[in-house]
Amino acid sequence: MALVKYNNNSISAVTSAASIPNAAMTHIKTLTASSSSTLSFVDGSSDVVLDNTYPIYLFKFINVHCATDDTQFQFNMSTDSGSNYNVTKTSTFFLAQHSENDDTAQLAYNDSHDLAQGTGFQTIALAQGNANDESISGELWLFGLSSTTFIKHFMSNVNNVAYVDRSFNNYSAGYGNTTSAVDAIQFKMSSGNLNSGKIKLYGIKDS
């Protein structure tokens, strides 16, 4: 959104602020977990838009709670409207962690959760706990999903309460190594269900 500044000399001359554009971020769809094995956003299904309408798409995770202790929150992409979630990806993964008792404070790369031309699900939150007060919140950005020329960049920043009573700040980034249009995104835990929580999808307009 553009910001217009006025000083004391010019403010009296202002008659309209109509040139300020509308907000760039548009809410598209919210899915709510309820003992769900997966949550999937498929272009053209249930009012979901994942096409060339927006060059950037943003997912926000709000208090996603899992059924199984010590499990990973993950996502994958599809180029065939969700028939297969298996886009080849190369990625990085690192995290900062701090324990409630202050025994552990660490920033480290984790090569167990990156991918090198892998088709499996990409981890975006590590070692999630299933206690009532443990959940996942954060965001995932995806760029140029509709392109049939370039690969598909993504990056995420997700905070979760790990099963070992630690705050994990997870950072993942990489690319889907496909020049086919990506038209569906799926989220799941590596084991067990998504008990509750919301995932919101937004489209970001061109500047």
Side-chain angles (χ1 to χ4, degrees):
M1 177 178 177
L3 179 64
V4 179
K5 293 184 178 180
Y6 302 102
N7 58 35
N8 288 335
N9 294 326
S10 63
I11 193 68
S12 61
V14 176
T15 60
S16 174
S19 62
I20 299 175
N22 293 329
M25 188 165 73
T26 302
H27 175 252
I28 297 171
K29 184 73 176 181
T30 297
L31 294 182
T32 301
S34 179
S35 298
S36 308
S37 59
T38 61
L39 289 178
S40 302
F41 293 80
V42 180
D43 180 51
S45 174
S46 302
D47 300 319
V48 171
V49 176
L50 280 173
D51 57 18
N52 61 1
T53 303
Y54 301 97
I56 304 170
Y57 287 93
L58 170 63
F59 290 93
K60 288 186 175 287
F61 317 118
I62 303 169
N63 287 328
V64 176
H65 184 257
C66 62
T68 303
D69 208 28
D70 187 15
T71 187
Q72 281 56 257
F73 185 44
Q74 303 177 321
F75 88 99
N76 212 333
M77 297 178 272
S78 173
T79 60
D80 55 12
S81 301
S83 295
N84 298 280
Y85 289 94
N86 59 358
V87 169
T88 299
K89 294 171 292 300
T90 293
S91 64
T92 60
F93 187 94
F94 71 95
L95 76 159
Q97 59 174 302
H98 191 198
S99 58
E100 291 180 357
N101 62 12
D102 204 26
D103 280 351
T104 302
Q106 183 185 40
L107 175 66
Y109 189 87
N110 190 315
D111 60 7
S112 298
H113 294 282
D114 61 13
L115 295 170
Q117 292 299 92
T119 59
F121 276 69
Q122 172 65 48
T123 293
I124 52 177
L126 189 63
Q128 175 60 33
N130 69 342
N132 288 337
D133 62 346
E134 295 173 337
S135 64
I136 302 162
S137 293
E139 59 189 26
L140 168 68
W141 297 77
L142 299 116
F143 304 87
L145 292 185
S146 65
S147 174
T148 55
T149 302
F150 300 111
I151 50 84
K152 314 303 185 289
H153 292 280
F154 66 86
M155 58 185 185
S156 64
N157 181 4
V158 180
N159 198 82
N160 68 306
V161 184
Y163 77 104
V164 287
D165 295 328
R166 298 178 190 174
S167 175
F168 276 12
N169 191 190
N170 309 263
Y171 294 87
S172 179
Y175 55 88
N177 196 2
T178 179
T179 56
S180 297
V182 167
D183 56 11
I185 306 292
Q186 186 176 87
F187 299 93
K188 71 180 186 70
M189 306 305 299
S190 60
S191 177
N193 287 338
L194 298 157
N195 268 359
S196 60
K198 296 181 183 296
I199 302 179
K200 292 178 172 288
L201 170 62
Y202 297 86
I204 311 295
K205 297 177 183 178
D206 277 322
S207 59

